[in-house]
DNA sequence: CCGAAACGACCGAACGTTCGGTAGGAACCA
DNA sequence: TGGTTCCTACCGAACGTTCGGTCGTTTCGG
């Protein structure tokens, strides 16, 4: 993980991406200039363009790698899972954990799709990846309902509610807060299984070693207070 | 409600605010120019400034009115409510309903706080309003835990999870979708009460006539597909 | 004939991006 | 060993465009 964005010793390509994740997450893509990025890595705006094709290509790159990481980690985890309840618990736990561990990367991933030019190949590729990820949720819910394990009024509604709960984690979770990551995941899994009326069962935390490696998540420089009590 | 943003017959002040909600929600505040706004209401950028002090003041205005509407509607509803379970059901149902009925206004309200200059009076005022709103959730949860109705591992965690679920509604709910607004609210209330281990009870929809009037929510011009299946 | 509403023209600043140039080091040949 | 040739990494300066915002003027209903 990059720890000093201005240190010319570490690979500039990586430092730029790390700074981009930080600034895009904090201020938004549109409000971040190439010159902001340059300042963060101690370079001129022209220097940035030696490492990056364009501002939009940089964003697309971050988003694609992050989404690919989530997809492959999810597939890796689901490979060992059993029935729909197990699989749903895994989906909830891992999505929550990723958003807690990489809040900046995930908030760019979740929130900046609209900044990619409609119809561009880069954007379409990311949408395909995202749809592939969501397909795991759809199939899991459908399987659970089909075999009678789950009882839900509307599968889409349930899925979107649970995913919102998980992705919202990036907006408030703090490693030094009142709950540990394991507690949050366990609590969310419990809520999720209750939402689909699955029979109560012992739930296990996701295997954190299987979580995606999101390579450009900045270190926790981000200690501005957040929503709760927050003068954000 | 404004239906034709370009019709000079209706009040220009209202048309500008309606267009601003639409564009800020779709593209984000930073990516929306005053000229974009002018184009939407058939005016030049200079014309906009006859009705608006500055771009940032316009955003602050939208956010303040929206948050005030939510606060006063919530207080109106809570005035008639009974115990913590009733109150929590009301909070969940009304927050969900507002995000479903006014997705554009609420997504600006929820997502553009970072676009207001840190330390500005306008921003501070909105933060105070938001904190006042969240206090209703905090008090309700604390009351329920204190009197033994609720059992939660961590009140903050529970509150933020439930609020994320409710606010996420603005990203996917479609009035012509598979679920009615009443179904969504009922489902979310059920999930929420399960999350705090409250004894099961018959839940009623919030009284929709008591919901806030968010005056600049654009009509459903916004029929671009959304997250699910979505090439957003 | 007055005030509100909107216009065209414009400002300085900042934007994304490009370009020519250069410092420094590796690679190669003599 | 010295000289030539590259290449990577970056800089300073500038490009055309767009930004938020201002100005003086015009239009026009009451």
């Amino acid at each position: 993980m990059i720890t000093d964005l201005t240190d010319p010793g570490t690979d500039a390509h990586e430092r730029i991406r790390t700074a981009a994740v930080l600034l895009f997450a904090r201020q938004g893509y549109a409000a971040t200039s190439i010159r902001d990025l340059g300042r963060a890595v101690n370079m001129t705006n022209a220097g940035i363009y030696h490492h990056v094709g364009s501002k939009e290509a940089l964003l697309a790159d971050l988003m694609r790698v992050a989404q690919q990481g989530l997809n492959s980690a999810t597939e890796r985890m689901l490979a060992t899972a059993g029935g729909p309840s197990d699989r749903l618990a895994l989906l909830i736990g891992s999505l929550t954990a990723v958003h807690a561990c990489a809040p900046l990367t995930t908030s760019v991933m979740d929130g900046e799709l609209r900044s990619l030019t409609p119809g561009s190949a880069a954007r379409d590729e990311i949408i395909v990846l995202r749809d592939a990820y969501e397909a795991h949720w759809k199939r899991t819910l459908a399987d659970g309902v089909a075999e009678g394990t789950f009882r839900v009024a509307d599968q889409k509604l349930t899925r979107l509610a649970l995913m919102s709960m998980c992705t919202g984690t990036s907006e408030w979770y703090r490693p030094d807060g009142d709950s540990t990551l394991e507690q949050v995941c366990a609590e969310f899994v419990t809520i999720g299984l209750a939402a689909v009326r699955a029979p109560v069962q012992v739930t296990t935390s996701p295997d954190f070693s299987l979580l995606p490696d999101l390579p450009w998540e900045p270190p926790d420089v981000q200690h501005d207070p957040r929503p709760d009590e927050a003068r954000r």
Side-chain angles (χ1 to χ4, degrees), chain A:
Chain A
M1 192 213 292
I2 307 279
T3 54
D4 182 3
L5 292 175
T6 65
D7 170 23
T10 48
D11 185 276
H13 194 272
E14 302 290 295
R15 280 188 293 131
I16 290 173
R17 267 144 186 87
T18 302
V21 168
L22 180 66
L23 295 178
F24 291 171
R26 279 209 205 168
Q27 325 175 12
Y29 170 81
T32 302
S33 71
I34 293 286
R35 286 166 176 86
D36 287 339
L37 267 175
R39 207 171 304 124
V41 297
N42 230 11
M43 225 180 258
T44 62
N45 55 329
I48 299 288
Y49 278 94
H50 182 74
H51 301 274
V52 146
S54 72
K55 191 189 173 192
E56 185 166 342
L58 170 59
L59 173 63
D61 216 35
L62 300 179
M63 293 184 64
R64 186 180 37 77
V65 171
Q67 186 71 58
Q68 280 171 341
L70 178 61
N71 285 21
S72 62
T74 301
E75 280 144 28
R76 227 180 303 135
M77 294 182 123
L78 284 179
T80 72
S85 290
D86 275 351
R87 302 170 77 84
L88 182 60
L90 247 164
L91 288 170
I92 295 174
S94 63
L95 189 58
T96 304
V98 169
H99 280 77
C101 294
L104 301 179
T105 305
T106 50
S107 69
V108 170
M109 186 175 94
D110 294 339
E112 295 291 2
L113 195 60
R114 67 172 173 200
S115 301
L116 296 177
T117 306
S120 65
R123 186 187 135 116
D124 288 348
E125 186 188 351
I126 289 163
I127 290 177
V128 167
L129 288 171
R130 194 195 56 180
D131 287 352
Y133 175 77
E134 291 185 358
H136 294 303
W137 283 76
K138 287 186 192 174
R139 186 160 30 80
T140 299
L141 278 173
D143 287 352
V145 168
E147 73 169 53
T149 319
F150 298 162
R151 278 189 17 246
V152 305
D154 180 317
Q155 293 183 32
K156 197 195 303 191
L157 186 164
T158 305
R159 174 173 57 86
L160 293 164
L162 293 182
M163 290 183 63
S164 287
M165 179 180 73
C166 298
T167 56
T169 306
S170 62
E171 287 167 22
W172 56 264
Y173 176 80
R174 287 298 109 81
D176 55 349
D178 295 329
S179 312
T180 66
L181 179 53
E182 287 79 5
Q183 285 171 329
V184 177
C185 291
E187 180 73 20
F188 280 18
V189 167
T190 305
I191 293 176
L193 291 180
V196 298
R197 281 84 166 171
V200 191
Q201 61 167 23
V202 181
T203 63
T204 60
S205 255
D207 181 351
F208 293 130
S209 72
L210 292 181
L211 286 182
D213 176 37
L214 300 180
W216 303 307
E217 178 74 14
D220 54 359
V221 192
Q222 34 113 10
H223 269 123
D224 38 5
R226 285 256 190 151
D228 171 64
E229 308 291 350
R231 331 259 151 268
R232 175 161 41 154

